Amino acid sequence: MTVQTGQLSLVVGAGPARDRTGLGELLAEATGEVLVMSTGTDSAFQRIALANVRPGVRHKVLFPDSARMSGALNRLSRAGAEVRTDAEIPMDALVLDRTSVVLPADGRQAGSAVFRLPGVVTATVGLFERIWQAAAPLVPLDLAEPEDASMLTCREQELLTLLFSGTTDESAAARLGVSVRTVRRMVADIMNRLGARSRFQAGAKAVDRGWLMAKAG
């Protein structure tokens, strides 16, 4: 059921199915834009929001860096959402058409709280935009397909080749047309995937696998 008082309503679920229906209906009301902030926890709130990405509605999604290499974000980006990641996302929230904010209900109450108070909307949008400006974009072409998650993309191979030929982060960023922050994030992703503790070790492991040799040849 939906309990509404002025500019606050609570969509109360009577179980997972009802909760999915209630939040899905709210998301279906968005006509122009949906902003998604996710702390990265695997919650029903998060899954329902991301399952409702649809053409014609701009979706801007923020996740923590720890989720950057996940298949879910890869698929989400390929579906048309604009995805960025940052070191930490402080809260789970949705903003629908910049007129209402949806938060997961706290405590024992299942469902979502919907705020249409201008002050709440303005504050939430402001927080989102501040994080968005500093966050690193996740581009589908930069991501390996799920079945090839152990491989490097062409851009990652090019980055490693540049760095291990002595190119600075700044010069590599200029060559690739990305920010220095994005270059460093890409290096961290590669190191994590290779299980490397340093850039030197990442390069050695990449050479062992033939990735850099294949690029250089």
Side-chain angles (χ1 to χ4, degrees):
M1 67 176 176
T2 300
V3 180
Q4 185 161 346
T5 304
Q7 293 175 303
L8 166 65
S9 58
L10 180 64
V11 179
V12 181
R18 181 64 190 91
D19 196 35
R20 285 194 298 270
T21 301
L23 187 51
E25 290 173 350
L26 288 171
L27 288 162
E29 294 176 1
T31 59
E33 179 186 64
V34 175
L35 308 180
V36 180
M37 281 193 290
S38 174
T39 58
T41 55
D42 187 16
S43 66
F45 180 86
Q46 169 186 308
R47 292 195 302 273
I48 296 164
L50 301 184
N52 280 271
V53 174
R54 66 186 192 277
V57 178
R58 184 183 189 187
H59 285 74
K60 296 170 68 175
V61 181
L62 282 171
F63 262 77
D65 290 339
S66 58
R68 188 172 180 83
M69 297 308 297
S70 71
L73 289 193
N74 188 348
R75 292 189 295 272
L76 186 64
S77 186
R78 290 180 183 279
E82 299 172 53
V83 182
R84 295 189 181 186
T85 67
D86 202 19
E88 183 179 1
I89 306 302
M91 63 188 291
D92 291 299
L94 307 177
V95 182
L96 311 180
D97 291 330
R98 304 201 176 207
T99 59
S100 59
V101 173
V102 186
L103 303 176
D106 293 326
R108 299 179 181 178
Q109 196 77 279
S112 306
V114 184
F115 297 85
R116 297 181 177 85
L117 297 164
V120 174
V121 174
T122 299
T124 307
V125 170
L127 174 62
F128 182 96
E129 293 295 354
R130 284 195 297 274
I131 300 173
W132 184 262
Q133 290 300 318
L138 185 146
V139 182
L141 293 178
D142 288 343
L143 297 173
E145 294 290 346
E147 60 269 20
D148 296 325
S150 63
M151 298 295 291
L152 293 181
T153 65
C154 291
R155 179 174 287 187
E156 289 170 334
Q157 287 183 334
E158 184 176 359
L159 172 61
L160 278 183
T161 300
L162 289 170
L163 294 180
F164 290 99
S165 65
T167 305
T168 64
D169 288 358
E170 291 75 12
S171 295
R175 287 279 298 274
L176 296 175
V178 298
S179 68
V180 174
R181 182 186 179 92
T182 298
V183 163
R184 291 171 180 165
R185 196 70 56 83
M186 288 171 66
V187 172
D189 291 342
I190 294 168
M191 289 172 58
N192 181 63
R193 203 180 319 162
L194 289 170
R197 296 184 178 180
S198 68
R199 290 188 176 194
F200 178 83
Q201 188 178 38
K205 285 176 177 276
V207 169
D208 287 343
R209 297 189 185 192
W211 294 346
L212 291 182
M213 289 173 59
K215 182 66 179 179

